Amino acid sequence: MAFIYETENFIVEAFDKPHVTRLDGGHIKIMPKIKVLDRSELSPKLAIELMRLTMIIGKAFKIAMTNRGVEIMRVNYHDMDNWAYKKDEKPYFHIHLYGRAKNAKFQPYYEAVQLPDRNTGFYDNFEPLYEDDVKEIQKQINIILKERNYSNKEWGL
């Protein structure tokens, strides 16, 4: 995973084995630093912080990838961890952000994201975000954090 951003309570990373290849929009994961089964186990403060963070990251992701030549039409937000059950592991809460590009070849933005088992080979040639994509996302995060709508005060944080 490529590090993108971190708060006191959450880590944001680019997925190294993405469900959506870079040119189809890309794939980011947001995880709380504490392990919880699902969002219902988050404190109210963490839930507020997470909502704000998903909005900031989603906006930055869309702007950054479009700036990098991948025209994002939409960002999808998914809570998932079902695959952990296949390995008899305990699932933990995290959110996937999927960029949905206008010219997507494998994961068209106007369709639901396809999520077949990793063993099918569907994802084998999917590319993760590039280092320069990550840098542009980080740049956009810093710009968005200066907007009044995303200030800690506006969110009661």
Side-chain angles (χ1 to χ4, degrees), residues 4-23:
I4 294 176
Y5 186 73
E6 183 173 11
T7 68
E8 180 183 342
N9 298 300
F10 295 91
I11 297 171
V12 180
E13 297 174 320
F15 226 68
D16 56 350
K17 294 181 180 178
H19 300 153
V20 176
T21 191
R22 180 189 177 274
L23 288 178

Side-chain angles (χ1 to χ4, degrees), residues 19-20 76 78 98-100 107-108 111-116 122-123:
H19 300 153
V20 176
N76 292 149
H78 291 248
Y98 300 124
R100 308 306 303 279
Q107 299 274 26
E111 298 285 351
V113 175
Q114 296 179 59
L115 296 170
F122 179 75
Y123 312 97

Side-chain angles (χ1 to χ4, degrees), residues 65 72 115 143:
M65 292 307 291
I72 302 295
L115 296 170
I143 291 169

Side-chain angles (χ1 to χ4, degrees), residues 67-98:
N67 287 350
R68 299 270 304 137
V70 180
E71 187 178 357
I72 302 295
M73 302 299 291
R74 181 167 184 83
V75 174
N76 292 149
Y77 304 82
H78 291 248
D79 296 11
M80 296 183 304
D81 55 17
N82 306 41
W83 289 350
Y85 291 110
K86 290 181 177 185
K87 300 183 249 177
D88 283 329
E89 295 176 0
K90 182 178 180 184
Y92 63 91
F93 173 72
H94 54 282
I95 296 181
H96 297 270
L97 280 69
Y98 300 124

Side-chain angles (χ1 to χ4, degrees), residues 106-140:
F106 300 102
Q107 299 274 26
Y109 74 92
Y110 48 82
E111 298 285 351
V113 175
Q114 296 179 59
L115 296 170
D117 188 275
R118 287 251 179 232
N119 295 328
T120 65
F122 179 75
Y123 312 97
D124 287 356
N125 295 313
F126 282 18
E127 288 188 304
L129 298 178
Y130 297 163
E131 185 177 329
D132 286 343
D133 300 331
V134 169
K135 287 178 184 175
E136 183 65 19
I137 294 166
Q138 292 167 332
K139 175 184 166 188
Q140 295 304 321

Side-chain angles (χ1 to χ4, degrees), residues 35 66 73 101 108 122 125 148 152:
K35 300 287 186 203
T66 299
M73 302 299 291
F122 179 75
N125 295 313
R148 183 173 169 259
N152 284 344

